[in-house]
Amino acid sequence: MQAEWEELARRNWLEESDSQQKPIPPSVSPGYYFSTTNPFRDQPNAFIEGQEKARQGDLNAAVLLLEAAILQDPNDAEAWQMLGTTQAENENEQAAIASLQRCLELRPNNLQALMALAVSFTNSGLLREACDALRRWIRHNHRYRHLVQDSRGPTSPLQDVLLLFQEAALLNVDGVDPDLQTGLGVLYNLSSEFDKAVEAFSAALSVRPQDYLLWNRLGATLANGNRSQEAVEAYSRALELQPGFIRSRYNLGISCINLGAHREAVSNFLTALNQQRRSQSCSQQQMSANIWAALRIAISMMDRPELFQAANMGDLDLLMAAFQVGDL
Amino acid sequence: MFIKRQGRHHYLIELNANVEITLKSRKDYLTGDNSDIIPTDTIKNTVHALAKIKGVNTIEQFSLDLCHHFLTSFNHVLRAKVYMEEAPWKRLNKNGVEHAHAFIYSPEACRFCDVEQNLGTPVVHSGVKDMKVLKTTQSGFEGFLRDRFTTLQETKDRVFCTTVYSRWRYNKVQDVDFDAACCIFIIYSPDSLFLFLHLYTFLWPTFVEEIEIVMPNQHYFTIDMTKMGLNNKDEVFLPLDSPSGNITGTVCRKQRARL
C-alpha cells in the first residue's frame, strides 16, 4: 500500500488533475498595493527619512515614507529597491517581490535588487524564478559575466546556476566575495544542502560580521536544516544588531516552536506584531499575515482554546496581556 | 444557483450560504435602537446581488467576496463569517463527451468552505464531507495492544469502509487554485489514519497549512453460517450501523524559516 502512494507521488497525481483546470497564474505579481492612508504622502525628503527610519528599526514608518517617495516620483528605482528590502525585513514577502520587480523594470541590472528578489522567491518556494534571478545576477556582474554560456546541458536550472556560482567562487583566490557567497547560500538552500549553505553564509559573515541580514540568513539556513539551537543563536545576533528586524524575530519564534518552547514562540510573535502596530498609523492590514498564522499555530499547541479564539479574532491586546508581553 | 454561459457551453454552481456578521454597536440590545442593524433580509439580498455583480467561480472566492463586502461597506461591522456548501452537480457525460448544458446530481462528496474575516486577512478553510468510500481488500489491522478485555482478532485482510470528513486551512488567499486543493482521495484509502495523514502530506499543495481528517470505521462483518452448514468465505457481509470507532487526526505544516 505504501508503494501505491509513493507511485502516486512520483506520478504527481495532483498536478495531473491540475492540468485539466486553468493553470495557476505565474508569479508575476499584480502590482504593489500602496497603503490607503499615508500620513507622509506629501512629505519632502521622504526617501531620506525612510532610509533613516529603516536604519533605526522602525520598519513600518520606513515603508510609509518610501511609499510616499514613490508616489511623488514613480520612477525612483532606488526607492523601489529600498521599499522591497524593507518589506522583506518587515515580513511582507509579496510586497517585497512586487517592489523589487518594479525596481528591476526600471533598472534591470541592479544587483542588490536581483539578489533580494532571489531570496524572496526562495522563501516563496518559487525555485525556477529564484534561479532565474541569480542567473541574471551573474550575467550583470562585471567580475563573473564571462562565465555565462548559452549552452544548456540536460541538467536542471538549479544545477546550472549552482555550477556558475561555484565556478565564480573559484575565481576569488585571495578573498571572499560576500555577495557571491550569499548567492551560493541561497542556492544551497534551494537544493537542501543546508550544511554547504551554512558554510557559504559563514564565509560571507567573516567579511561582514555586522550585517544583520546575513545573520538572519545563517539562522534560517540552520533552522531549515534542523539545527534549531544554533539558529536561535544566529537570530539573537541579528536582533542585537537590529532590534526592529521583524523577520528575524518571526524566525526566532518558529525555532522556538521547533524546540517545543511554545510560550517563548508566542512571546516573540506578539513582540513582532506589537512593534508593527506601534509604528505610526499602522492598520491591521499592515501587520504581517505570516506572523499571525505562526502565532495561531503556536497557540494551538498550547491547548488554550480561548486564546486560540483571540488569535483568530486578531485581538492583540488580549493576547499581550495573557502572555505578559509589554512594550519593548 | 449561478449560471455562466459561454456560447452554448453553460457552467453552473449551486450553493447554500450561511452568513453571520458581528456589529460593533450594542444599542439595539440596550435601547431598542435599530439604526445600526443590517436586516438579515438585506444580507440575503446581498448574497444574490453579489452573485450577479461578481459572479461565482468557486465557493471560496464567493465567500471571500462576501466577507470583503460586509467589512468594507460598513464601518460598524467587526467580523464576517461565511459558510457555504456546494451542491454536487456533475456534467452529463456520454462516451467521454461532456454535455454542454445537462447535469446530474451526484452526491459522492459534499464540498464546503468557511471564511472568517475580522478587519484583517481572512482565514479560509475548505473541506469535503459525506464521502463514503469502501475497499474490499488490502486493508488489515494487527499488532495492536491486547489486554483482558480485548477480543478483536487480528486480520491481514478485511473490508474497510468509512465516510470521510476533511477540512483544511490555507496560508494565503490570493492566487490560490481552490479547485485543485479539493483533492479527491477516494481511490486509495489506507489501513490507518496515521499512514493516511503521513502519506497525504506528500501530495498536499504548498498553500495548505493544516488539515484535519475524521473517519468513522464503518464495519462490515462476515456472517457466521456454520450453524447452517455453510462455509461463508468472506462473501456475505452484514453492515453494522453502530457502534463504530471514530478516528481523527490533524496535521499542520512545519513553518519554514525565511532567509
Side-chain angles (χ1 to χ4, degrees), chain B residues 3 81 83 112 124 128 131 145 151 198 231 235 250:
Chain B
I3 294 181
K81 275 167 71 161
Y83 171 79
F112 66 89
V124 183
V128 289
M131 187 165 78
L145 194 130
T151 56
H198 180 65
N231 180 8
E235 293 155 280
T250 306

Side-chain angles (χ1 to χ4, degrees), chain A residues 15 17-25, chain B residues 4 57-58 61 175-180:
Chain A
E15 269 100 298
S17 64
D18 273 0
S19 62
Q20 285 143 25
Q21 286 126 19
K22 64 171 176 59
I24 299 173
Chain B
K4 183 167 80 176
N57 191 10
T58 58
Q61 189 54 55
D175 296 329
V176 174
D177 189 342
F178 294 111
D179 287 326

Side-chain angles (χ1 to χ4, degrees), chain B residues 20 25 54 66 86 104 134 141 144 152 229 245 257:
Chain B
E20 278 178 33
S25 61
K54 301 216 82 172
L66 277 168
E86 182 176 336
I104 181 165
L134 180 152
F141 190 44
F144 45 85
L152 185 66

Side-chain angles (χ1 to χ4, degrees), chain A residues 46-58 62 65 82:
Chain A
F47 177 71
I48 300 205
E49 296 208 17
Q51 269 186 317
E52 179 56 25
K53 284 289 181 188
R55 205 190 52 77
Q56 290 169 5
D58 187 348
L65 282 158
M82 179 113 231

Side-chain angles (χ1 to χ4, degrees), chain A residues 1 4-5 13-14 18 91 93 119 123 189 216 221 224 226 235 247 251 254 284-285 290 312-313, chain B residues 79 118-121 123 138 175 177 180 183-184 188 195 199 203 205 209 254-259:
Chain A
M1 205 271 305
E4 286 172 3
W5 278 88
W13 176 50
L14 196 58
D18 273 0
E91 195 41 51
E93 203 82 78
V119 169
N123 286 333
N189 262 283
N216 178 62
T221 306
N224 291 334
N226 290 323
Y235 296 139
R247 165 157 285 177
N251 280 340
I254 301 223
Q284 183 88 347
Q285 272 84 10
N290 273 356
N312 277 338
M313 296 277 287
Chain B
R79 182 179 68 188
N118 322 282
L119 302 172
T121 322
V123 178
Q138 291 187 2
D175 296 329
D177 189 342
C183 163
I184 306 296
Y188 295 94
L195 211 46
L199 294 169
L203 301 176
E209 81 180 7
K254 182 173 164 185
Q255 298 285 76
R256 271 186 81 89
R258 302 194 149 230
L259 293 171

Side-chain angles (χ1 to χ4, degrees), chain A residues 302-324:
Chain A
M302 294 178 75
D303 201 20
R304 299 279 299 272
E306 77 284 6
L307 295 178
F308 187 70
Q309 183 58 19
N312 277 338
M313 296 277 287
D315 193 339
L316 188 54
D317 290 315
L318 192 156
L319 290 166
M320 283 177 63
F323 287 94
Q324 288 151 5

